[in-house]
């Protein structure tokens, strides 16, 4: 049986990476799709774990060879999702989770309508600004630019299946876990549900 595909998007600084780290620790079978990007690694980021860091020329050659399921430009840098990683794991019955921006999410949704999409919102603009600064990983102009991009991104919340307002971290983790567990219902639990129904003597 094919795996489920989850898409998570959020304005930068909302806490998406933090939430995904908790989720991935809970769900060993969930495969995180490591994207390719032309941006420089931030402090602490590892090649092959957080991203595959690549140059523009290599990235564009991959675009030509149609190696990306989707790709987009964000803040002048290119980001893309490996088609073979996603397809291969879904085919093998594994669930896959993508951390991609709103442009990428729309592309994936149009190709794979069954994907479950989740949008993470910060509690307010002021709190987003505070978190971006608290992270202390980017220069002021990058933070300003990310806040500007966020203004444009939040209007896309309607295109997502679920919204999580990431206020209290523990609550958000529970919500995200519930969504991913819920994704099991239609496909994965069919056999179990059939057994339960037959224990009732079958349907009707
Ligand atoms: P993103 O991946 O969305 O850009 P991060 O996960 O890097 O964001 O989080 C940005 C900053 O906000 C980090 O310093 C993180 O520790 C903090 N953070 C994340 N979630 C919360 C939360 N619910 N409450 C307070 N701070 C948070
Ligand atoms: P960051 O530079 O903060 O890691 O990511 C910037 C934005 O790019 C975030 O919204 C993140 O979700 C998005 N992003 C990361 N990987 C991909 C990808 O493969 N495709 C697309 N479309 N966006 C991505």
């Amino acid at each position: 049986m094919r795996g489920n595909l989850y898409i998570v998007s959020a304005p930068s600084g909302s806490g998406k990476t933090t939430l995904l780290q908790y989720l991935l620790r809970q769900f060993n079978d969930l495969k995180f799709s490591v994207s390719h990007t032309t941006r420089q690694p931030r402090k602490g980021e590892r090649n092959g774990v957080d991203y595959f860091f690549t140059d523009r020329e290599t990235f564009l050659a991959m675009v030509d060879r149609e190696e990306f399921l989707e790709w987009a430009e964000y803040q002048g840098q290119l980001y893309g999702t490996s088609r073979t990683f996603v397809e291969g794991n879904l085919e093998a019955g594994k669930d896959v989770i993508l951390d991609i921006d709103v442009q990428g999410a729309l592309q994936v949704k149009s190709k794979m309508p069954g994907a479950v999409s989740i949008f993470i919102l910060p509690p307010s603009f002021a709190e987003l600004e505070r978190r971006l600064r608290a992270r202390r990983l980017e220069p002021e102009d990058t933070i300003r630019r990310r806040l500007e991009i966020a203004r444009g991104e939040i209007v896309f919340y309607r295109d997502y299946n679920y919204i999580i307002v990431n206020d209290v971290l523990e609550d958000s983790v529970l919500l995200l876990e519930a969504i991913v567990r819920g994704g099991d219902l239609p496909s994965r639990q069919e056999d179990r549900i059939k057994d339960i129904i037959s224990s009732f003597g079958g349907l009707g």
Side-chain angles (χ1 to χ4, degrees):
M1 202 175 304
R2 249 175 102 83
N4 300 306
L5 182 61
Y6 299 95
I7 306 170
V8 183
S9 302
S12 179
S14 304
K16 181 178 44 166
T17 308
T18 309
L19 279 172
L20 287 179
Q21 278 167 358
Y22 278 97
L23 185 76
L24 290 164
R25 251 180 261 146
Q26 287 294 321
F27 293 79
N28 289 328
D29 287 344
L30 187 60
K31 301 286 174 193
F32 176 72
S33 163
V34 179
S35 295
H36 284 71
T37 183
T38 61
R39 89 151 158 75
Q40 291 299 308
R42 282 188 207 124
K43 197 163 168 275
E45 282 183 333
R46 284 171 298 163
N47 191 33
V49 176
D50 301 287
Y51 281 105
F52 292 106
F53 295 100
T54 177
D55 57 57
R56 214 175 166 89
E57 197 186 337
T58 310
F59 191 102
L60 291 174
M62 292 176 74
V63 171
D64 283 344
R65 292 196 299 267
E66 299 188 355
E67 288 180 26
F68 293 122
L69 175 64
E70 64 71 38
W71 66 277
E73 186 161 350
Y74 177 97
Q75 221 175 11
Q77 302 296 336
L78 306 176
Y79 294 80
T81 301
S82 162
R83 182 191 300 281
T84 49
F85 180 86
V86 174
E87 284 293 351
N89 276 297
L90 292 178
E91 281 296 318
K94 304 275 185 213
D95 293 347
V96 176
I97 192 154
L98 310 179
D99 166 349
I100 59 177
D101 81 330
V102 292
Q103 309 169 69
L106 291 175
Q107 292 179 52
V108 175
K109 268 286 193 178
S110 70
K111 287 179 190 160
M112 297 174 166
V116 174
S117 56
I118 304 148
F119 195 77
I120 294 162
L121 272 174
S124 67
F125 184 80
E127 175 61 12
L128 181 66
E129 189 166 5
R130 195 197 64 74
R131 287 184 192 169
L132 275 173
R133 290 191 203 292
R135 194 162 68 178
R136 294 173 185 280
L137 288 177
E138 285 144 331
E140 180 59 26
D141 58 333
T142 306
I143 291 177
R144 287 261 130 243
R145 185 80 197 101
R146 285 185 176 236
L147 287 168
E148 274 316 303
I149 294 173
R151 283 186 208 280
E153 286 176 332
I154 54 164
V155 297
F156 287 94
Y157 77 90
R158 283 181 201 282
D159 294 318
Y160 287 74
N161 299 117
Y162 296 96
I163 309 285
I164 296 177
V165 176
N166 182 23
D167 191 352
V168 177
L169 186 62
E170 294 73 20
D171 293 349
S172 308
V173 172
L174 287 176
L175 283 171
L176 190 56
E177 285 178 8
I179 293 167
V180 172
R181 280 187 215 285
D184 276 354
L185 270 173
S187 50
R188 293 283 169 80
Q189 298 202 32
E190 227 158 71
D191 290 343
R192 194 169 173 205
I193 292 166
K194 274 186 199 141
D195 286 348
I196 295 170
I197 289 173
S198 64
S199 81
F200 277 74
L203 280 175

